[in-house]
């Protein structure tokens, strides 16, 4: 689903650097993108494929196809079956079908509606032993019988290589086929296609190295020892040697090797022994609003929904002012160390101390949105939500106070009755930070917190993602597009990307914790200081910062970032068919960097006399000391100075 942003904000539309590279003759080419997560949601690659589909279809039209495994439930719910428009594709599919294999074709029901070709692995399982033998004879990679995922990848790869062989035979003298393979599960298809000398251009993208993820999950000092790891020994000890061999073979067989970030490029150079040719950052499909300052209104609306949940969750002991409460959150897989939950918890303890010592009346409620095994809902939480709804619905219609504030007083009660209302409280009532662990994905149908993830993010004040291992990191990117400040690290692809593009990321609401060149103690103190400084901001300062954060949306739009994929494809065609496709392989990407324009109509923050948001959930502070003037020319000049040229893959510091 496209993430929305306001059209009233300063935009890069029309001023992005011109793409000077020669256009590819897409009408004479066929592009196939191969991944395990085509119509099959497993992880972040699904998001990459889904959001990038629209711009790729716009460029390639009916010459763009996605390929992956067939799952009956996914096909029935996500794909509309149809006939291939290209007769060569139809005949290649028929060749497999006539040999007893099931191949399905249709349109994936996402934005752009790309064609998908899905191969039924189960229908070909009887050939597994023969194809594993072919893989061994071809490149001496053996697979254990009990690794089902690796075995399935060989079946899928063999079917895809067979399909490409039939397709090239049908196309004749002018094949001009590009195969773009994602991750090691799709790597077998690339390896077999190259070993059989099928004339096609190939691109391989790794979104994270296999061994890197395993090592970081084991608490290894990964980035300071990249050049010291015995890759084969480490993979063997973790029983993934055969998978790493598939990954490494695919990397070295591909005409062009790409990865998603600079930090992963450094990792891949050591783990896979090949330096990526192109860095292809992950983007988002950004949809624009037409109403002025709409994203600020959405923040207020969503924040009110979160406040309603808080009233029920802390029913009977709501001893803090919701108008002076900030909502922080962390979201992702339940990888305690990799996702930085450990350093986040320690920093929250230190933040709590600082808020109390400085007598700051702000309360911080922190959500941990990390799916984990659960048995049922917390009964006390459900009771609190039910009582809250009953109280608010039974209040008299005429009340001198806003209903929300009346509910606050009712839920809290006076001090004498608080003990009778709830015998136990969640810790010391003087604590300034409160933590809520939500061990499942957010859904608007949940009886506890009925909000979709996008609405929840919009209602929060700060996203905190202090990851140790994060090849890209969609969560802070989603925050940026929605105008919500976030904390990331220089060990995440997103953090590296922002450091390359923005001179002062913190001014735009992107705080980057140094976890690469600092100790854990120093990183923890830095994160604590970021959060404490954020808590000291006034309402107006937070509004201005949200506007500045939202101005960076175009940096993450696939309409810009998709050009890195265009460059990778052109480079692959040049290496596969040098006589037909000319380009200087050593030339950098021909972009001129960003030139942020002066705002077209309205400033990216409210003027001194007009609120950008018709209604506020916070209490506006009229103290002149908190007033921060907004000057349109100064903001435009800030952008010109801070937004830098896009990066190209180059030398990166290694270790401390």
């Amino acid at each position: 689903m496209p993430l929305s942003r306001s059209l009233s904000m300063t935009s890069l539309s029309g001023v992005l650097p011109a793409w000077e590279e020669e256009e590819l003759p897409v009408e004479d080419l066929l592009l196939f993108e191969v991944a395990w997560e085509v119509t099959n949601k497993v992880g972040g690659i699904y998001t990459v494929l889904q959001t990038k589909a629209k711009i790729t279809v716009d460029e390639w039209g009916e010459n763009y196809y996605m390929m992956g495994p067939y799952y009956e439930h996914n096909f029935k719910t996500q794909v509309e079956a149809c006939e291939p428009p290209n007769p060569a594709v139809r005949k290649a599919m028929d060749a497999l079908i006539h040999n007893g294999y099931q191949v399905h074709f249709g349109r994936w029901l996402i934005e752009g509606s790309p064609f998908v070709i899905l191969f039924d692995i189960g229908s070909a399982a009887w050939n597994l032993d023969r194809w594993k033998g072919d893989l061994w004879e071809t490149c001496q990679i053996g697979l254990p019988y009990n690794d089902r995922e690796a075995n399935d990848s060989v079946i899928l790869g063999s079917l895809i290589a067979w399909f490409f062989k039939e397709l090239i035979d049908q196309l004749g003298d002018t094949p001009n086929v590009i195969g773009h393979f994602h991750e090691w599960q799709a790597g077998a298809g690339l390896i077999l296609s190259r070993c059989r000398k099928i004339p096609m251009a190939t691109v391989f993208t790794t979104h994270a190295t296999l061994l890197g993820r395993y090592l970081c999950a084991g608490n290894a000092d990964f980035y300071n020892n990249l050049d010291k790891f015995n890759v084969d020994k480490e993979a063997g000890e973790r029983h993934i040697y055969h998978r790493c061999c598939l990954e490494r073979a695919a990397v070295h067989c591909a005409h062009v090797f790409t990865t998603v970030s600079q930090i992963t490029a450094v990792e891949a150079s050591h783990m896979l022994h090949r330096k990526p040719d192109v860095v292809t950052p992950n983007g988002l499909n950004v949809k624009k609003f037409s109403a002025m300052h709409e994203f600020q209104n959405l923040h207020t609306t969503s924040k009110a929904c979160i406040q309603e949940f808080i009233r029920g969750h802390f029913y009977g002991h709501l001893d803090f002012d919701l108008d002076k409460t900030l909502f922080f959150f962390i979201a992702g897989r339940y990888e305690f160390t990799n996702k930085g939950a450990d350093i986040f918890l320690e920093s929250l303890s230190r933040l709590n101390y600082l808020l109390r010592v400085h007598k700051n009346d702000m309360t911080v409620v922190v959500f941990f949105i990390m799916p984990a095994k659960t048995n049922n809902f917390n009964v006390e939480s459900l009771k609190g939500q039910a009582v809250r709804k009953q109280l608010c619905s039974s209040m008299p219609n005429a009340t001198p106070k806003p209903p929300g504030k009346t509910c606050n007083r009712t839920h809290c009660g006076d001090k004498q009755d608080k003990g009778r209302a709830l015998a136990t409280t969640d810790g010391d009532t003087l604590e300034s930070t409160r933590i809520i662990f939500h061990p499942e994905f957010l859904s608007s149908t949940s009886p506890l917190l009925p909000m979709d993830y996008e609405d929840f993010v919009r209602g929060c004040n700060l996203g905190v993602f202090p990851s140790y291992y994060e090849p890209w990191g969609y969560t802070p990117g989603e925050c940026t597009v929605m105008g919500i400040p976030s904390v990331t690290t220089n060990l995440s692809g997103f953090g590296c990307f922002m450091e390359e593009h923005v001179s002062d990321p913190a001014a735009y609401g992107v705080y980057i914790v140094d976890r690469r060149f600092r100790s854990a103690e120093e990183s923890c103190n830095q994160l604590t200081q970021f959060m404490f400084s954020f808590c000291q901001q006034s309402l107006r300062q937070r509004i201005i910062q949200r506007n500045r954060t939202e101005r960076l949306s175009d940096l993450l739009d696939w309409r810009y970032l998709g050009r890195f994929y265009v460059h990778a494809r052109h480079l692959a065609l040049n290496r596969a068919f040098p006589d037909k496709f000319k380009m200087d392989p050593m030339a950098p990407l021909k972009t001129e960097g960003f030139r942020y324009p002066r705002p077209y109509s309205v400033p990216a923050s409210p003027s001194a006399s007009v609120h950008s948001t018709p209604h506020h959930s916070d209490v506006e502070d009229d103290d002149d000391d908190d007033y921060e003037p907004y000057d349109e020319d100064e903001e435009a000049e800030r952008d010109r100075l801070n937004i830098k040229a896009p990066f190209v893959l180059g030398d990166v510091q290694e270790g401390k």
Side-chain angles (χ1 to χ4, degrees):
M1 183 171 132
L3 298 175
S4 304
R5 72 179 293 261
S6 171
L7 197 60
S8 65
M9 301 298 100
T10 298
S11 173
L12 292 179
S13 300
V15 294
L16 286 171
W19 186 243
E20 299 177 3
E21 192 163 340
E22 183 181 351
E23 294 287 337
L24 290 175
V26 294
E27 63 277 0
D28 300 324
L29 299 170
L30 292 176
L31 172 61
F32 294 86
E33 200 151 6
V34 185
W36 193 262
E37 297 192 30
V38 171
T39 74
N40 177 37
K41 187 172 184 179
V42 178
I45 301 174
Y46 179 91
T47 304
V48 176
L49 298 171
Q50 185 186 45
T51 56
K52 186 170 62 68
K54 176 65 167 59
I55 61 140
T56 312
V57 171
D58 289 344
E59 179 188 0
W60 288 80
E62 293 188 345
N63 289 351
Y64 173 58
Y65 302 84
M66 290 183 173
M67 306 172 75
Y70 169 82
Y71 292 97
E72 183 178 7
H73 175 73
N74 293 343
F75 188 83
K76 288 182 177 179
T77 57
Q78 300 184 46
V79 180
E80 179 185 10
C82 63
E83 282 296 312
N86 191 312
V89 173
R90 176 74 267 177
K91 291 178 180 178
M93 290 175 53
D94 288 340
L96 273 68
I97 293 172
H98 292 157
N99 280 276
Y101 308 110
Q102 295 183 24
V103 185
H104 302 265
F105 188 91
R107 283 189 179 274
W108 192 1
L109 299 178
I110 58 175
E111 192 169 7
S113 300
F115 290 128
V116 292
I117 305 172
L118 304 177
F119 300 87
D120 189 335
I121 293 173
S123 69
W126 58 275
N127 246 334
L128 174 61
D129 289 340
R130 181 166 67 88
W131 285 338
K132 287 171 68 173
D134 291 343
L135 184 66
W136 172 257
E137 292 175 2
T138 302
C139 47
Q140 281 71 57
I141 297 177
L143 304 181
Y145 73 93
N146 59 348
D147 189 342
R148 180 172 180 177
E149 189 174 5
N151 290 333
D152 286 350
S153 71
V154 170
I155 296 174
L156 178 64
S158 299
L159 291 171
I160 287 173
W162 189 349
F163 172 86
F164 280 135
K165 176 64 168 63
E166 297 291 342
L167 177 66
I168 299 299
D169 290 344
Q170 293 294 330
L171 292 174
D173 296 333
T174 56
N176 296 346
V177 171
I178 305 173
H180 190 152
F181 299 80
H182 293 265
E183 284 299 301
W184 71 273
Q185 294 99 326
L190 189 156
I191 297 167
L192 294 171
S193 296
R194 291 285 283 149
C195 290
R196 294 169 186 174
K197 297 183 171 24
I198 299 175
M200 59 183 292
T202 56
V203 181
F204 183 79
T205 297
T206 182
H207 297 257
T209 68
L210 263 171
L211 185 56
R213 191 177 292 279
Y214 272 80
L215 288 170
C216 287
N219 294 326
D221 187 6
F222 183 64
Y223 292 99
N224 290 320
N225 294 285
L226 274 173
D227 57 342
K228 300 179 180 65
F229 288 115
N230 184 329
V231 176
D232 293 337
K233 176 177 176 292
E234 298 288 349
E237 289 177 351
R238 289 160 178 80
H239 308 290
I240 57 169
Y241 178 72
H242 55 287
R243 295 187 180 192
C244 291
C245 287
L246 282 174
E247 181 182 40
R248 196 185 314 166
V251 166
H252 287 272
C253 285
H255 291 105
V256 171
F257 171 44
T258 79
T259 190
V260 296
S261 64
Q262 290 242 44
I263 192 68
T264 314
V266 175
E267 173 189 343
S269 298
H270 290 88
M271 298 290 108
L272 302 174
H273 306 305
R274 179 177 176 181
K275 183 178 179 180
D277 301 293
V278 185
V279 169
T280 51
N282 292 335
L284 288 163
N285 188 13
V286 180
K287 179 183 176 182
K288 299 179 186 295
F289 289 125
S290 57
M292 292 176 59
H293 305 293
E294 184 65 20
F295 87 99
Q296 292 280 11
N297 293 341
L298 289 174
H299 168 73
T300 303
T301 303
S302 297
K303 185 174 182 179
C305 294
I306 297 176
Q307 289 175 328
E308 286 299 301
F309 165 78
I310 294 298
R311 292 187 182 102
H313 187 76
F314 290 99
Y315 171 74
H317 51 103
L318 185 64
D319 54 353
F320 53 92
D321 187 353
L322 283 178
D323 288 327
K324 294 183 179 180
T325 299
L326 297 177
F327 299 117
F328 295 0
F329 80 100
I330 181 174
R333 289 187 300 272
Y334 193 39
E335 298 176 0
F336 195 72
T337 303
N338 280 1
K339 296 300 180 183
D342 51 353
I343 189 176
F344 188 25
L345 282 171
E346 177 60 30
S347 297
L348 286 173
S349 174
R350 300 180 187 189
L351 173 66
N352 183 72
Y353 173 78
L354 288 176
L355 291 174
R356 295 174 64 179
V357 165
H358 289 83
K359 301 187 184 304
N360 191 312
D361 59 355
M362 192 68 72
T363 301
V364 176
V365 174
V366 183
F367 291 86
F368 279 69
I369 311 296
M370 291 182 163
K373 290 183 179 180
T374 57
N375 294 322
N376 49 37
F377 289 106
N378 185 298
V379 176
E380 291 300 321
S381 295
L382 288 172
K383 284 182 180 178
Q385 299 295 340
V387 172
R388 174 192 62 81
K389 292 177 182 178
Q390 186 176 8
L391 283 173
C392 290
S393 63
S394 61
M395 286 193 309
N397 294 328
T399 174
K401 295 282 186 179
K405 296 182 183 296
T406 305
C407 281
N408 289 354
R409 298 197 309 276
T410 306
H411 293 170
C412 184
D414 38 28
K415 295 181 180 179
Q416 296 175 347
D417 294 333
K418 191 183 300 181
R420 292 194 295 270
L422 191 65
T424 59
T425 62
D426 288 344
D428 188 351
T429 57
L430 296 178
E431 297 297 328
S432 297
T433 58
R434 312 294 173 97
I435 297 175
I436 299 173
F437 180 56
H438 190 80
E440 67 175 1
F441 288 118
L442 293 170
S443 171
S444 58
T445 60
S446 170
L448 277 177
L449 183 54
M451 298 181 73
D452 288 325
Y453 178 73
E454 180 181 340
D455 296 328
F456 173 79
V457 172
R458 288 189 183 279
C460 289
N461 299 98
L462 182 70
V464 185
F465 315 102
S467 303
Y468 182 77
Y469 187 79
E470 194 72 79
W472 176 251
Y474 260 119
T475 41
E478 290 167 338
C479 288
T480 301
V481 169
M482 290 184 273
I484 302 301
S486 62
V487 178
T488 183
T489 73
N490 60 353
L491 290 181
S492 75
F494 175 82
C496 294
F497 181 84
M498 282 300 170
E499 282 185 324
E500 290 287 342
H501 280 75
V502 185
S503 297
D504 184 11
Y508 287 82
V510 179
Y511 301 93
I512 300 176
V513 176
D514 185 356
R515 294 203 65 181
R516 188 174 182 196
F517 303 108
R518 294 191 182 189
S519 66
E521 176 70 17
E522 293 172 323
S523 299
C524 191
N525 287 334
Q526 187 182 20
L527 174 57
T528 304
Q529 190 57 49
F530 282 154
M531 294 191 294
F532 182 63
S533 299
F534 187 86
C535 292
Q536 291 180 307
Q537 291 182 356
S538 66
L539 169 67
R540 181 174 180 81
Q541 289 171 329
R542 293 198 301 273
I543 290 176
I544 291 175
Q545 188 180 55
R546 283 199 297 271
N547 284 319
R548 288 173 180 163
T549 302
E550 196 271 347
R551 292 157 79 101
L552 300 179
S553 297
D554 285 319
L555 290 176
L556 304 174
D557 197 328
W558 274 122
R559 288 175 298 169
Y560 167 64
L561 296 180
R563 62 187 57 188
F564 293 94
Y565 279 83
V566 175
H567 179 76
R569 294 170 197 143
H570 198 166
L571 183 58
L573 285 168
N574 170 257
R575 291 178 177 176
F577 310 109
D579 296 334
K580 296 181 182 179
F581 300 93
K582 305 288 186 182
M583 72 175 295
D584 180 4
M586 302 304 295
L589 293 176
K590 297 179 181 179
T591 54
E592 300 174 355
F594 288 101
R595 299 291 183 269
Y596 247 70
R598 174 183 175 134
Y600 295 134
S601 55
V602 298
S605 180
S607 62
S609 59
V610 182
H611 290 302
S612 66
T613 308
H615 53 287
H616 289 308
S617 59
D618 304 29
V619 177
E620 180 69 78
D621 194 342
D622 295 327
D623 191 346
D624 291 339
D625 293 338
D626 290 333
Y627 176 73
E628 180 177 338
Y630 179 88
D631 185 89
E632 185 176 341
D633 293 325
E634 288 183 5
E635 288 295 309
E637 184 61 27
R638 176 196 293 270
D639 292 337
R640 295 188 189 99
L641 293 175
N642 284 334
I643 307 303
K644 298 188 290 188
F647 66 81
V648 294
L649 185 61
D651 294 333
V652 182
Q653 289 178 281
E654 300 175 6
K656 292 184 179 178

